[in-house]
Amino acid sequence: MDYGFNTYTFDFLEYVLGSATTVTDTTTFETIDKPSSFTMTHNIENDTTDRQETYSGNVINSFTLKAAVGEPLSVNLAGIASLITYDASLYANISNSSDDIWTFQHGALDIDGSISNIIDSVELAINNNWESKYGLGSRLIKTAIPKARDISLKFTVKYLDDTLYAMLLGATTPTDGGGPTAVSSAVLTFTNGTKSLTITISNGILEEFTETANLNDLIGEDFTLIGKSVGIVWDNS
């Protein structure tokens, strides 16, 4: 399964990270070793025979959140299901929400206290790396086991950022025994009116860098940060 959408809600993050705790209008999503599975239906209202496809035992293998200045946040979820069945009855449609789609017009990125506000685009990727397991005598999936989780945050700045560049190299003049500067926390915050989404990546380093320079155009710098853990707080007040 692979599906993308623009979003006004983040309830689905429970199945990406595994844990969701809600107090009043604020939900905190945290990682656990094995996120829960879920069941999903897909309706096809055809001219002749309708079809309802039911996917059970779904797990989210990868999650990507992308945003560029002035554009809606886009989400892509890719997963695997243990079983697919279908029939001609349709599940009741879910009405559209009146809430606004989130955009990247109001956002900030704080890396260990160095606030980078001139961000052109950002991409958060989380891979749970599920592996399906089969048993002898059956073609059906018996279980799925997640391997080590990969977490990365790629962002583009439209100016030269010496602070981030120094963190990438570890020093103005790198040494034989040196390395990139450790990042205790990188905090990405989106705001949408009174609502906010705060993503915190901990224990990371800036691993990749790309610089784009074209004549008569702004210099762009792409940084990729990898981390060991991630937590997300959604304030829906």
Side-chain angles (χ1 to χ4, degrees):
M1 303 179 303
D2 191 332
Y3 35 97
F5 51 92
N6 301 124
T7 189
Y8 59 87
T9 181
F10 297 94
D11 289 322
F12 58 84
L13 288 172
E14 177 180 357
Y15 299 100
V16 177
L17 301 185
S19 171
T21 303
T22 301
V23 178
T24 313
D25 293 320
T26 301
T27 303
T28 300
F29 302 97
E30 297 177 306
T31 55
I32 62 173
D33 290 340
K34 192 173 183 179
S36 300
S37 61
F38 60 96
T39 298
M40 184 185 74
T41 59
H42 177 220
N43 287 348
I44 301 176
E45 191 169 355
N46 201 9
D47 290 339
T48 52
T49 304
D50 297 331
R51 181 195 294 175
Q52 175 185 274
E53 301 168 349
T54 301
Y55 299 80
S56 57
N58 294 281
V59 289
I60 300 299
N61 201 38
S62 65
F63 157 77
T64 305
L65 182 150
K66 295 182 179 180
V69 173
E71 296 182 4
L73 269 68
S74 65
V75 172
N76 182 268
L77 298 173
I80 54 177
S82 62
L83 184 65
I84 304 172
T85 60
Y86 76 95
D87 57 37
S89 62
L90 296 181
Y91 193 83
N93 290 329
I94 299 174
S95 59
N96 291 328
S97 172
S98 59
D99 292 340
D100 293 335
I101 295 293
W102 284 57
T103 68
F104 193 44
Q105 292 177 338
H106 306 285
L109 177 63
D110 185 323
I111 299 179
D112 280 350
S114 175
I115 298 176
S116 301
N117 278 313
I118 308 178
I119 301 294
D120 188 63
S121 62
V122 65
E123 178 180 321
L124 171 68
I126 300 174
N127 291 296
N128 288 322
N129 296 313
W130 289 87
E131 183 173 319
S132 301
K133 294 296 183 181
Y134 299 83
L136 291 175
S138 175
R139 64 191 180 99
L140 302 179
I141 296 175
K142 296 302 181 182
T143 189
I145 300 173
K147 296 182 287 188
R149 182 180 280 114
D150 298 323
I151 303 164
S152 67
L153 180 68
K154 181 178 180 180
F155 56 96
T156 301
V157 296
K158 286 297 185 182
Y159 65 105
L160 299 179
D161 193 316
D162 287 345
T163 300
L164 293 174
Y165 197 55
M167 296 178 73
L168 172 79
L169 298 179
T172 305
T173 302
T175 60
D176 290 337
T181 302
V183 175
S184 296
S185 66
V187 182
L188 175 64
T189 303
F190 295 102
T191 56
N192 191 34
T194 61
K195 304 175 183 180
S196 65
L197 184 74
T198 303
I199 302 165
T200 302
I201 298 176
S202 304
N203 301 318
I205 59 169
L206 291 171
E207 185 186 50
E208 296 182 4
F209 169 80
T210 304
E211 183 179 88
T212 303
N214 296 311
L215 184 64
N216 298 325
D217 200 359
L218 296 175
I219 294 176
E221 294 186 329
D222 293 331
F223 293 90
T224 300
L225 180 144
I226 59 172
K228 292 183 179 179
S229 63
V230 60
I232 301 176
V233 177
W234 173 33
D235 184 347
N236 196 35
S237 59

